Amino acid sequence: MNKTIKIYIVFLVLIFIAIIFVDANRPRPIDWRPTYSINDKIPFGLYIFDKETPTLLKKNSLKKVTNTIYEYFEPLYNYDSLVNNYSERGTILSISEYSQIDDQSTQELLYFVSHGNSAYLSSKSFSKILMDSLKFETNNEMIFNKEIKFSLANKKLDTKKYNFDIGAGSYYFGKIDTLTTTILGYQESGNNKFANFIKVPHGNGFFYLHTQPAAFTNYHILKENHSEYLEKIVSYIPKGKIFWAIDNINGESVSSSPMRFILSNPALKWAWYLFLIGMVFFMIFNAKRKQRIVPIVKPLQNTTVDFTKTIGNLYYQEGDHQNIINKKIIYFLERVRNEFLIETNTLDENFIKKLHLKTGKNIEDIENVVRLINYQRRSYHQSIEDDLIEINNAIEKIFS
């Protein structure tokens, strides 16, 4: 790892630490969005209600349904049975700001309740199909008072009035079928009193409809005595199994991603995003091709000259000057034959003229070389160093 990469890594780590530190110490603005999500700890989330269900619904068993009501319950209907009933029985629970149950799921919901089951829906609005089937309507009255008082119709159960402020809507049941519908709770604003909690029979089962879902949120569960109101209204849920529909109502789905904790924390989420951005920049700036180091291969050296010098030094140290002179003469005549194509059997005037014409050298130098060669061939005395130097200089003048 080179020095530049180490600097990049240290720089990114310092940025992440600074972001986490700043984000952890800055005051977080309150998120007042009505998400009604079981994972949200914001005021209008359902995190506390989700954690408190074992206490609030201790007489019931709870199952969270993460797909639509139709997708979950339609396969449970037994068409082959003589009685034609569902293989599971219980109460469908739905809590949302505004109902988003699709028409197909609404039909399935009506069919499920008609077979002796029940549905508990808390929302500020309901689908047109549901209102037409159960013969009720909802109204929305502009309320200028800051607080709305909630109370229960059954005074034997509770006589208190609970003051709700933030998040409490002005929706109520403006029209109901008084012959069949039972009013379970009211809301009061000024001199006005309206029903906000009713029980409607349908087939062999019942619908429990509530127009103030804010009562289930984190803010109101922790505020004053509002948790008592919540305990009273959920006590109307029949004993048995509860199917809490969370996906199709709130867009809620428990993530199975291993990154869900990091992405749910703003500081860690932005640290993760910056890490990914940093890695992208790192790859862009280091995307140029890096070639593997090619080793330098030295060419083979021409050792002919060195070899010749070594052999020459060997002869020189031995002092065999005559032998060297003979080899010099042989080398000279061989070169004349190969380069100039002149016969060297007889070194006479004819040879001198031909070599002069082909080499352009001074004829006196050529005559001197021929003279020295003939002298060495005829001489029987031992050559000395001066003879070797003389013939060597004469040959070099011809081939220089």
Side-chain angles (χ1 to χ4, degrees):
M1 184 181 294
N2 59 39
K3 185 177 179 180
T4 304
I5 297 177
K6 291 181 180 178
I7 293 174
Y8 287 158
I9 294 175
V10 171
F11 182 69
L12 288 174
V13 169
L14 291 177
I15 290 178
F16 296 157
I17 294 174
I19 291 173
I20 294 173
F21 177 79
V22 171
D23 189 80
N25 288 277
R26 70 179 176 86
R28 297 180 181 275
I30 299 176
D31 186 355
W32 292 100
R33 290 178 301 120
T35 62
Y36 290 87
S37 168
I38 63 174
N39 295 321
D40 285 345
K41 298 180 182 179
I42 59 178
F44 294 115
L46 299 179
Y47 179 82
I48 297 177
F49 177 74
D50 178 50
K51 299 303 178 184
E52 292 297 324
T53 50
T55 301
L56 294 170
L57 306 172
K58 56 187 175 182
K59 296 181 180 180
N60 306 82
S61 62
L62 182 66
K63 177 180 177 61
K64 293 176 181 176
V65 178
T66 58
N67 47 8
T68 66
I69 293 174
Y70 174 79
E71 290 172 339
Y72 182 82
F73 287 99
E74 198 278 334
L76 299 180
Y77 188 76
N78 189 356
Y79 291 94
D80 298 330
S81 173
L82 295 176
V83 183
N84 284 352
N85 211 333
Y86 288 87
S87 58
E88 289 196 66
R89 300 179 61 83
T91 301
I92 297 177
L93 173 64
S94 171
I95 305 168
S96 62
E97 175 78 353
Y98 298 101
S99 179
Q100 297 176 4
I101 304 177
D102 60 88
D103 293 345
Q104 198 170 23
S105 293
T106 301
Q107 294 290 358
E108 188 67 30
L109 178 64
L110 290 165
Y111 204 64
F112 179 77
V113 172
S114 68
H115 282 72
N117 300 292
S118 57
Y120 192 103
L121 312 179
S122 182
S123 177
K124 292 180 180 179
S125 65
F126 302 92
S127 69
K128 186 70 168 57
I129 296 175
L130 191 64
M131 290 191 293
D132 291 343
S133 300
L134 302 182
K135 299 178 182 179
F136 74 90
E137 293 179 2
T138 58
N139 290 338
N140 180 15
E141 182 182 32
M142 295 297 295
I143 297 176
F144 299 98
N145 293 339
K146 184 178 181 181
E147 293 183 346
I148 303 177
K149 297 179 181 180
F150 295 167
S151 61
L152 297 178
N154 187 352
K155 300 304 178 183
K156 295 181 180 180
L157 184 62
D158 190 6
T159 58
K160 293 182 181 179
K161 293 184 179 181
Y162 302 91
N163 295 325
F164 277 67
D165 48 9
I166 300 175
S170 57
Y171 290 87
Y172 61 91
F173 295 104
K175 178 182 177 181
I176 58 176
D177 186 352
T178 56
L179 296 177
T180 58
T181 301
T182 303
I183 298 176
L184 303 179
Y186 295 96
Q187 63 186 43
E188 298 179 33
S189 176
N191 297 323
N192 299 319
K193 184 176 182 179
F194 304 106
N196 67 358
F197 188 22
I198 61 175
K199 177 183 178 181
V200 185
H202 181 68
N204 295 323
F206 293 93
F207 276 90
Y208 297 84
L209 306 177
H210 184 249
T211 62
Q212 297 294 345
F216 294 83
T217 60
N218 302 326
Y219 177 81
H220 287 291
I221 291 178
L222 298 177
K223 183 176 175 61
E224 298 175 355
N225 60 350
H226 293 185
S227 59
E228 296 179 13
Y229 175 76
L230 178 62
E231 291 176 4
K232 299 300 187 300
I233 61 176
V234 298
S235 67
Y236 281 98
I237 299 177
K239 296 180 181 179
K241 196 167 186 177
I242 297 177
F243 304 95
W244 188 3
I246 60 175
D247 181 71
N248 61 308
I249 303 300
N250 306 310
E252 187 71 57
S253 182
V254 180
S255 174
S256 59
S257 170
M259 297 294 295
R260 63 180 180 274
F261 175 75
I262 292 177
L263 297 179
S264 64
N265 188 301
L268 294 178
K269 179 177 70 174
W270 281 109
W272 172 248
Y273 288 158
L274 283 175
F275 170 75
L276 295 179
I277 293 172
M279 289 302 297
V280 170
F281 277 105
F282 173 78
M283 288 186 290
I284 291 174
F285 287 111
N286 286 270
K288 60 182 180 180
R289 180 175 178 267
K290 293 184 178 180
Q291 184 176 353
R292 179 174 56 86
I293 298 176
V294 179
I296 299 175
V297 180
K298 294 183 179 180
L300 295 176
Q301 295 181 351
N302 187 355
T303 59
T304 304
V305 176
D306 295 334
F307 176 74
T308 304
K309 289 180 179 180
T310 301
I311 298 300
N313 290 332
L314 179 62
Y315 281 111
Y316 182 77
Q317 291 173 3
E318 290 293 327
D320 191 357
H321 302 109
Q322 186 62 50
N323 192 8
I324 297 175
I325 291 173
N326 293 336
K327 286 182 169 52
K328 280 279 187 180
I329 294 171
I330 294 172
Y331 171 75
F332 171 75
L333 297 177
E334 177 69 20
R335 188 170 177 182
V336 168
R337 288 193 298 269
N338 291 334
E339 292 187 14
F340 304 113
L341 303 176
I342 301 174
E343 292 289 336
T344 59
N345 294 330
T346 304
L347 303 181
D348 52 10
E349 291 296 330
N350 188 33
F351 172 81
I352 293 172
K353 291 180 179 179
K354 289 181 179 180
L355 187 59
H356 168 66
L357 292 174
K358 290 194 175 185
T359 61
K361 298 296 181 179
N362 195 329
I363 192 167
E364 288 82 4
D365 293 335
I366 298 174
E367 290 175 348
N368 183 42
V369 170
V370 171
R371 181 183 61 81
L372 292 173
I373 292 174
N374 290 331
Y375 172 76
Q376 289 295 329
R377 286 180 172 179
R378 294 192 301 267
S379 177
Y380 295 100
H381 72 280
Q382 184 68 29
S383 299
I384 60 176
E385 183 177 349
D386 292 339
D387 296 333
L388 174 60
I389 294 173
E390 184 180 15
I391 196 170
N392 180 71
N393 292 336
I395 292 174
E396 286 185 351
K397 285 184 179 180
I398 302 303
F399 292 116
S400 60

